[in-house]
Amino acid sequence: MAKIMHTIEMEFQNARRQADELEQISKSLSMLADSSFQSCLAGIAAAWKGENAAAFCKKGNLVGNNVKNTAQDLKHVAETIREIAQNTYNAEKQNYEIAQARTYLS
C-alpha cells in the first residue's frame, strides 16, 4: 500500500531531526575534546612530574584525538542521514504523485 504524503513528510522530518541531534552531539564532543579535555591534561602535566606523568599525558592526548575523530565521524553520519533522507523523500514523493495521477479503466 502506498504511503500517504503526511507519513512521507513525517518520516523525512524525523530523519532530519535525528541528524540534527547527531550533529549537536558531534559539536559537543568536539568542544569537550578541544577545551575541557586539553585544560585537564595541562593541569595534570603541571601538577604531576616524571615518567609516568608523561606517559599518562601521551595516552590522554590519544584519547582526545579519538574523541575528535569520533565527533567528525558523527558529523559525517549526520550528513549522510540528511542526504539519504532527501533522496528517499524525493523518490517517495514522486511515487506518491504518480499514484495520485494514475487512473484505472474498468
Side-chain angles (χ1 to χ4, degrees), residues 25-51:
I25 292 169
S26 168
K27 287 178 184 178
S28 296
L29 277 176
S30 186
M31 286 177 28
L32 179 68
D34 287 338
S35 60
S36 299
F37 198 75
Q38 292 303 320
S39 65
C40 180
L41 284 177
I44 290 171
W48 186 16
K49 302 296 179 198
E51 203 174 295

Side-chain angles (χ1 to χ4, degrees), residues 61-106:
N61 283 323
L62 289 174
V63 170
N65 288 335
N66 287 343
V67 170
K68 287 180 188 179
N69 290 339
T70 299
Q72 284 295 84
D73 290 345
L74 286 174
K75 184 178 179 183
H76 180 70
V77 168
E79 292 168 358
T80 302
I81 288 172
R82 283 190 188 98
E83 184 178 333
I84 291 169
Q86 186 67 54
N87 291 342
T88 302
Y89 173 79
N90 292 342
E92 288 184 342
K93 184 177 176 187
Q94 184 178 19
N95 289 339
Y96 176 81
E97 290 169 356
I98 289 169
Q100 292 301 306
R102 184 175 294 145
T103 58
Y104 296 94
L105 301 173
S106 316

